[in-house]
Amino acid sequence: MNILTVSKLAKTFGNDTLFEHVSFDINSKENIALIGKNGTGKSTLVKMILGEVAPDEGEIHINKKAKIGYLSQRVITDTSHTLIDEVLSVFQEALHVEQKIKDISLKMEKDPHNEQLLSTYANLEHDFESKGGYDIHYKIDMILHQFGFSREEYKRPIITFSNGEQTRIAFAKLLLQAPDLLILDEPTNHLDIRIIEWLEDYLMKYDGSVFIITHDKYFIDKVCKKILEIDVQEMQIYHGNYNQYLEQKAERFERLLKMYRRQQKEIRHLESFVERFRYNAKKATMAQDRIKKLGRIERIKEPKKTKRKLHLAFQPRRPTREVILEAKDATFGYEEPLIKHLSFTMRGFEKVAIIGPNGTGKTTLLKILQNKMSLMSGKIHFLRDYKIGYFDQNQESLSFHKTIFEEIHDLHPMFTKYDIYSIGAKFLFYHEDMDKNISVLSGGEKVRLVLLLLMLEKPDLLILDEPTNHLDIETKDIVEEVFDEFEGPIIFVSHDRYFINRIASKLIYFENQKGTVFEGNYDAYKVFYAEEKVKHFETTKKTHKSPQDSKISIAEIEKEIMTIEQKIESKKALTFESEYYLDKEKIEALNKEIESLENDLQKLDEKYYKLLEMD
């Protein structure tokens, strides 16, 4: 099914053209990423699809049968609702049918011979099942659990949750709505690695289509099989994942460059002929033909690589294999410990990533390393004096009321005007840029300025807190290149798995008040973690002796689920027999049996889902 068709879309703001000639389709079960530098019009395009912004030219056709869902805070209807009431509102139709079933059941108790009531009851039950009524609570528990909400929080009013938590609630509710087209704008921004990995698996199996604006290259590579890129006011379509996109883009550039050069050669040849023979009576007709041919040529734009390179010169101390940082039995947190008994060492050439779920103590460790916090117990210390350069995701070190020139000059008053302009140019800040107020800079420009100031500090050790947050892909590439080329030690916190893979030589994973140290990058850690889960699974299977706990293989649980489902169906069939519906005690006892079996089924489903995660 074709869900959406965009044809020859164009949008301008004042004299600035965002994009033009944008055309693409979204069909059933397509996972598509929309990428491009910040400011190229990605969010504007989505607003056009949602009907919030009108295009200047072109058309958008949405299938009337298609249901579209967009991730925003507006998904939450009322923040005074409790968490459970808000997500249950997704299933209003099914719950309305369930209430009708209860009402009919009460009437059947009083009038058990009424054929119309029996028929209505059967129809309602079929309707309830077709609406997925029996799976409602299982789906809610599964989705909310994966987004980090416990059952104890179900009765909390939504207004009592933080903004980040409310975004996750909106996300959970949107997934429960299961629209035909799911539109997500930077879905990984407020999620930790554990949730992102689960979301990737979920979206890969999603029954509908997914349209994602994202700068998360790892996420694109895992989830999407089609990429739309807005670049130089035009859209290009690539088929495949992120790595295949990179290959296709390079091939397309080379192909266009050859076509451009060939056309330019033809144009020069025609223009030369016209210039030589325009006023030659014998050749005038031929010259006019060449002029007409020149007019008919559809000019190919010269392809240009948009990625610009920074010219950096980080000069740390000469890298050493000596241990420069040591943690012994370190416990830290606030009122309660976040991490207990952490021990690790860091050598003078290592790049260490601190990863794990939100709230586990990653940024807290960075504060301790900068002497902004103290340990509860244990020891973390540098074995020699190291000049630290700190990269803050919020750029709080910048003076937002100053211009770029003033910021550099005030921090380094010995620099001449020429020095400052030369340094700025290395970081892609040119003369007109240097007079910009820092407060009006884009996210990518602020990151470049922080990198510039870091370089001037000449740090021996870099400490980075989410260095790629809210950056477009081009700026992320720049940041990755900078820190990859830095020869000194780096310790950093990040959820960006592409960045972690490229930079890290060692990981420390925080979870459940424990820090696990691993030598290698993120992909290697994933393989290790999967193997460890299998080992734990096998050990659990051997050590647990009770019959119930021994039945933990997926195949065995599948058999149990099928058996219980069959029992439920047979019990439900009995409710239509006069022996039961004419006897109040029997029908009540039978309904209790069905309820008990359904509870057992829900528990088995949860256990089954956990085993699938380990599989």
Side-chain angles (χ1 to χ4, degrees):
M1 176 178 79
N2 176 265
I3 295 174
L4 180 145
T5 298
V6 171
S7 179
K8 298 179 181 177
L9 226 58
K11 187 65 183 177
T12 59
F13 287 103
N15 296 322
D16 297 325
T17 300
L18 266 185
F19 49 74
E20 54 189 353
H21 311 303
V22 166
S23 299
F24 63 92
D25 294 311
I26 299 179
N27 299 307
S28 296
K29 297 191 176 181
E30 277 194 315
N31 286 5
I32 301 172
L34 176 62
I35 66 172
K37 291 192 294 184
N38 289 336
T40 53
K42 301 184 299 297
S43 295
T44 301
L45 177 58
V46 167
K47 287 176 182 177
M48 288 180 181
I49 292 171
L50 297 172
E52 296 175 4
V53 172
D56 295 332
E57 296 176 18
E59 295 179 348
I60 299 172
H61 174 73
I62 300 173
N63 192 315
K64 291 179 181 178
K65 295 180 180 179
K67 180 182 173 185
I68 294 180
Y70 173 64
L71 178 58
S72 73
Q73 289 284 8
R74 283 180 289 179
V75 173
I76 297 173
T77 54
D78 191 338
T79 56
S80 67
H81 285 169
T82 63
L83 170 58
I84 189 64
D85 287 340
E86 183 64 26
V87 294
L88 277 172
S89 67
V90 172
F91 305 100
Q92 280 182 339
E93 288 185 19
L95 295 174
H96 183 61
V97 174
E98 185 179 40
Q99 186 57 50
K100 283 185 176 180
I101 290 172
K102 290 177 181 177
D103 295 340
I104 290 290
S105 298
L106 292 174
K107 291 178 181 178
M108 286 171 62
E109 289 178 12
K110 296 175 182 178
D111 190 4
H113 300 288
N114 191 318
E115 293 292 334
Q116 187 177 353
L117 288 177
L118 287 170
S119 176
T120 303
Y121 182 88
N123 291 334
L124 286 170
E125 189 177 51
H126 176 74
D127 190 24
F128 184 65
E129 187 173 3
S130 68
K131 285 181 167 60
Y134 294 110
D135 297 326
I136 288 173
H137 294 288
Y138 164 69
K139 285 180 180 177
I140 287 173
D141 287 343
M142 186 269 287
I143 296 284
L144 289 182
H145 170 72
Q146 293 299 341
F147 275 96
F149 297 104
S150 65
R151 284 179 174 272
E152 289 73 26
E153 294 175 300
Y154 281 16
K155 294 296 183 182
R156 272 181 63 183
I158 289 174
I159 198 169
T160 65
F161 290 95
S162 69
N163 288 334
E165 288 170 328
Q166 288 187 31
T167 299
R168 284 190 277 128
I169 292 169
F171 208 154
K173 185 180 175 184
L174 187 61
L175 293 183
L176 289 167
Q177 289 172 345
D180 299 297
L181 175 60
L182 189 60
I183 300 178
L184 306 174
D185 193 346
E186 293 294 353
T188 62
N189 269 3
H190 301 283
L191 307 179
D192 60 43
I193 286 178
R194 180 189 61 78
I195 300 175
I196 292 170
E197 288 185 336
W198 170 82
L199 180 63
E200 286 170 344
D201 291 335
Y202 188 89
L203 294 179
M204 286 170 68
K205 300 169 188 172
Y206 188 65
D207 284 337
S209 298
V210 186
F211 189 55
I212 308 166
I213 299 176
T214 183
H215 300 304
D216 189 328
K217 295 181 279 188
Y218 203 99
F219 189 84
I220 296 170
D221 212 26
K222 185 82 178 286
V223 174
C224 299
K225 299 301 179 188
K226 185 174 175 182
I227 295 174
L228 312 181
E229 182 180 33
I230 300 178
D231 186 26
V232 197
Q233 301 173 348
E234 294 180 350
M235 175 177 282
Q236 301 300 330
I237 301 174
Y238 300 91
H239 295 277
N241 60 21
Y242 185 76
N243 285 325
Q244 290 166 327
Y245 146 79
L246 290 175
E247 293 171 5
Q248 290 173 37
K249 186 171 183 178
E251 290 169 2
R252 178 179 175 275
F253 178 83
E254 293 300 326
R255 186 171 63 253
L256 282 176
L257 188 60
K258 286 179 183 177
M259 291 169 63
Y260 171 78
R261 287 172 176 169
R262 188 161 54 243
Q263 188 182 74
Q264 289 297 305
K265 185 177 180 181
E266 182 187 3
I267 290 170
R268 286 194 299 271
H269 176 74
L270 292 170
E271 287 176 340
S272 175
F273 187 94
V274 170
E275 188 66 27
R276 288 167 59 195
F277 300 111
R278 182 194 294 260
Y279 303 108
N280 185 313
K282 293 180 180 180
K283 303 283 188 179
T285 303
M286 293 178 67
Q288 286 300 316
D289 288 340
R290 299 300 193 274
I291 291 171
K292 289 177 182 178
K293 189 172 182 180
L294 279 167
R296 289 194 299 268
I297 291 175
E298 190 173 337
R299 305 295 174 110
I300 299 170
K301 291 181 182 178
E302 182 181 3
K304 294 180 180 179
K305 290 184 178 179
T306 56
K307 184 178 177 182
R308 299 172 293 172
K309 184 175 174 64
L310 299 187
H311 300 281
L312 298 174
F314 273 109
Q315 296 175 342
R317 290 184 188 179
R318 186 177 177 181
T320 172
R321 296 195 64 82
E322 291 180 359
V323 172
I324 63 166
L325 174 64
E326 186 175 34
K328 284 187 178 180
D329 209 29
T331 296
F332 53 87
Y334 296 89
E335 294 180 2
E336 296 292 330
L338 291 170
I339 293 293
K340 295 179 179 179
H341 313 302
L342 174 66
S343 296
F344 71 93
T345 58
M346 180 179 178
R347 298 183 181 276
F349 64 93
E350 288 186 313
K351 297 175 180 178
V352 180
I354 314 297
I355 65 174
N358 290 335
T360 51
K362 303 184 297 296
T363 300
T364 305
L365 176 59
L366 298 190
K367 289 178 180 177
I368 290 167
L369 293 176
Q370 297 173 81
N371 292 318
K372 294 178 180 177
M373 276 187 65
S374 300
L375 292 171
M376 290 179 164
S377 63
K379 184 168 65 172
I380 295 180
H381 71 292
F382 290 98
L383 302 185
R384 63 173 69 174
D385 289 333
Y386 262 74
K387 187 175 183 180
I388 293 174
Y390 177 58
F391 186 104
D392 175 22
Q393 61 171 310
N394 299 315
Q395 289 97 37
E396 291 179 359
S397 60
L398 296 176
S399 304
F400 290 93
H401 62 284
K402 295 180 182 179
T403 64
I404 296 174
F405 183 92
E406 290 169 343
E407 181 80 327
I408 299 170
H409 179 267
D410 291 351
L411 290 170
H412 302 276
M414 298 299 291
F415 286 171
T416 66
K417 188 174 181 179
Y418 174 80
D419 291 334
I420 293 173
Y421 278 112
S422 297
I423 292 163
K426 290 180 180 179
F427 284 79
L428 311 180
F429 295 119
Y430 302 107
H431 274 69
E432 63 275 13
D433 299 316
M434 299 299 283
D435 293 326
K436 281 184 181 178
N437 198 286
I438 293 173
S439 62
V440 303
L441 298 181
S442 68
E445 288 172 326
K446 287 174 185 171
V447 166
R448 280 193 272 125
L449 180 55
V450 170
L451 287 174
L452 184 158
L453 297 174
L454 265 182
M455 184 195 75
L456 295 178
E457 288 178 21
K458 297 182 179 179
D460 301 314
L461 165 71
L462 292 177
I463 295 180
L464 318 174
D465 188 6
E466 296 286 3
T468 62
N469 257 16
H470 308 294
L471 302 182
D472 60 36
I473 287 177
E474 182 176 343
T475 310
K476 280 188 178 186
D477 288 341
I478 290 171
V479 171
E480 285 169 9
E481 195 171 323
V482 169
F483 294 128
D484 189 35
E485 291 180 358
F486 181 73
E487 294 181 351
I490 301 176
I491 186 163
F492 66 97
V493 169
S494 180
H495 290 122
D496 185 338
R497 293 156 299 163
Y498 208 97
F499 179 78
I500 296 167
N501 257 346
R502 182 167 178 181
I503 305 302
S505 57
K506 177 186 283 188
L507 306 183
I508 305 176
Y509 188 87
F510 284 4
E511 191 171 35
N512 299 325
Q513 297 184 316
K514 180 183 176 184
T516 303
V517 181
F518 177 78
E519 301 286 341
N521 67 8
Y522 181 75
D523 281 346
Y525 175 76
K526 276 189 72 178
V527 173
F528 164 77
Y529 185 66
E531 290 171 351
E532 287 299 301
K533 284 208 292 187
V534 170
K535 288 178 186 176
H536 176 73
F537 177 80
E538 293 298 328
T539 303
T540 305
K541 187 162 68 172
K542 290 176 183 177
T543 55
H544 284 217
K545 297 180 181 179
S546 74
Q548 185 64 28
D549 289 335
S550 65
K551 295 178 182 179
I552 58 174
S553 77
I554 290 173
E556 287 171 332
I557 287 189
E558 284 176 345
K559 289 178 184 176
E560 283 190 69
I561 288 172
M562 288 176 66
T563 301
I564 291 179
E565 284 177 339
Q566 288 169 0
K567 284 182 181 179
I568 290 171
E569 289 302 314
S570 62
K571 296 286 184 186
K572 285 181 178 179
L574 291 176
T575 62
F576 296 101
E577 295 184 10
S578 58
E579 177 187 348
Y580 287 89
Y581 69 73
L582 293 175
D583 189 320
K584 183 180 178 181
E585 290 184 1
K586 278 191 175 183
I587 194 71
E588 285 181 351
L590 185 60
N591 284 331
K592 284 183 180 179
E593 284 184 58
I594 292 170
E595 187 179 348
S596 176
L597 285 168
E598 286 176 341
N599 287 335
D600 291 342
L601 182 62
Q602 184 175 336
K603 290 176 184 176
L604 272 176
D605 279 342
E606 290 173 0
K607 192 172 184 181
Y608 180 67
Y609 182 80
K610 287 178 182 176
L611 284 175
L612 285 178
E613 282 187 323
M614 295 173 64
D615 188 34

